[in-house]
Amino acid sequence: MPLSREKIAAAAIRLADADGLDGLSIRKIAKELGVGPMRLYDYVLNKAELLDLMVDAVYARIAEVDKQPEWRATVLAIAHATRRAALDHEWFSDLLGARPHLGPHALAVGEATAAALSRSPAVRGIDDLQRALGALNGFLIGAVRREVTERRTARSTGTDEAAWQASLGPYLTRMLNTGRYPTIARLVIDGAHLDAEETFSHNLTTVLDGITGA
Amino acid sequence: MPLSREKIAAAAIRLADADGLDGLSIRKIAKELGVGPMRLYDYVLNKAELLDLMVDAVYARIAEVDKQPEWRATVLAIAHATRRAALDHEWFSDLLGARPHLGPHALAVGEATAAALSRSPAVRGIDDLQRALGALNGFLIGAVRREVTERRTARSTGTDEAAWQASLGPYLTRMLNTGRYPTIARLVIDGAHLDAEETFSHNLTTVLDGITGA
DNA sequence: CCCTTTGCCGTACACTGTATTGGTGGATAC
DNA sequence: GTATCCACCAATACAGTGTACGGCAAAGGG
């Protein structure tokens, strides 16, 4: 069975899911596919283009969300699907917003969000739409990125407990004990462990309220 | 004159400003400082820690903003300073949100924003504060990231005009001519070239309006 | 039968971060 | 004065990266 861009992207996604973007190399993908490393360059211009293919493959899954009748429900569905995809493929959050989303599926979800937003009564002209899209996408990119890094550090402080207790933990408590960061300290100490999905939902509606309310 | 973490970070920042993060290597930093590459490891654990140092050095500049009497003005000042810093050091946006901000100056900035937000009447308990901080930081990270990538692609389509006219341009017009992305097409064609700073300001107040519940 | 051309394949290059080894100067002990 | 040790620094070495490029075999044309 011959190679193809799709098959290469799929193999790359499998590896990136397992080892992260840093663990992803042309040679490993080729080995996974049982071919020589340079074969990949018959289908892909360079590694950057391969990353774009991976991103668009994920966007394809995001684009599968059902279209909702109400514009707000549509935006919520797309945003939640994007978050879900980023949690399933953490490397996705590293690439999200790092290059323009120009793949066909990325354009499709962009179209769906833009169309939904333009149905909001608060979005009047095309300038409003451009700004609203910027605000929403900005929040989406940043929020997802934050959540993924948080999850990563939580995992690594659990795994690499030695390093945490040896350096980072004491450093942090020392810092907070200086009294120079009282609010942060309060957040760390008293802050309940809020449910991540609930927080995301809450903040998303906050941003949407800002868009429609102003 | 002896080496120091600060001096190493400063040299690394100079190089990253010029060549981007991809062009940054231990060997180049060492050459810039006139020492052997392995000397740097007497001051820095590994490259990741060096990147953290660079990030915190930028946060030091951000933390210099004058404290405003009104909480909203404080948040605006910090956000604009962060954006300004990311435009001055584009690599900063690549690192922003990619790892927890735990350096002393990053903590200072976090403290200032958290303190300001907690003075908003709409932020009642510590849970509200945690969420508001998440919404604001999420937007900030994503918006800055978006703007920097936009600027980069604009620059590279200007520089590498051959590649644009050969592949990406035609690809995009072909895509938009399929009629599958009418809203996006309208945005690309009719969309005025909005001032980036104005857009950022507008969206920032939009998010803040959402937080305060206006 | 020979020549050309076309596609396939692996080698090779320049570069990365960093562990490790070897050497060298200066201070201290006898 | 000599020997020993130690701190410091330089260079080398290794395992890996993305990808340019040269060689080779098969196919087609005269």
Side-chain angles (χ1 to χ4, degrees), chain A residues 103-192:
Chain A
H105 301 105
L107 283 180
V109 322
E111 168 67 25
T113 27
L117 278 179
S118 72
R119 283 205 298 278
S120 161
V123 175
R124 265 171 280 271
I126 202 165
D127 288 3
D128 277 359
L129 176 55
Q130 196 162 330
R131 277 192 268 255
L133 204 59
L136 175 63
N137 273 338
F139 168 75
L140 195 55
I141 293 172
V144 162
R145 195 170 168 76
R146 263 176 65 87
E147 186 172 343
V148 167
T149 43
E150 206 166 300
R151 171 189 265 220
R152 278 177 178 154
T153 57
R155 201 168 40 222
S156 84
T157 54
T159 301
D160 203 354
E161 202 163 344
W164 165 261
Q165 290 186 356
S167 66
L168 252 167
Y171 163 79
L172 241 178
T173 59
R174 199 177 64 238
M175 272 313 211
L176 296 184
N177 282 340
T178 60
R180 276 184 293 181
Y181 317 106
T183 317
I184 301 277
R186 209 154 55 89
L187 274 173
V188 171
I189 295 167
D190 294 341

Side-chain angles (χ1 to χ4, degrees), chain A residues 69-94:
Chain A
E70 194 54 50
W71 73 266
R72 220 183 150 99
T74 305
V75 170
L76 288 180
I78 293 176
H80 274 103
T82 305
R83 169 172 176 273
R84 188 71 259 153
L87 293 183
D88 288 345
H89 311 284
E90 293 190 345
W91 51 268
F92 185 68
S93 82
D94 297 323

Side-chain angles (χ1 to χ4, degrees), chain B residues 25-27 38 41 47:
Chain B
S25 80
I26 297 285
R27 285 170 169 81
M38 293 311 285
Y41 287 94
K47 193 182 181 181

Side-chain angles (χ1 to χ4, degrees), chain A residues 14-72:
Chain A
R14 274 197 306 274
L15 284 183
D17 285 345
D19 307 332
L21 267 194
D22 290 350
L24 187 69
S25 81
I26 297 285
R27 283 168 170 83
K28 285 186 195 162
I29 302 170
K31 180 157 287 183
E32 171 99 358
L33 291 168
V35 299
M38 294 310 288
R39 285 322 94 233
L40 304 194
Y41 287 95
D42 295 336
Y43 300 85
V44 157
L45 198 64
N46 48 33
K47 194 182 181 181
E49 191 183 89
L50 172 56
L51 294 179
D52 286 344
L53 282 181
M54 296 167 62
V55 168
D56 210 57
V58 172
Y59 267 117
R61 312 287 317 176
I62 296 172
E64 283 174 3
V65 294
D66 306 312
K67 196 172 180 185
Q68 309 286 334
E70 194 54 50
W71 73 266
R72 220 183 150 99

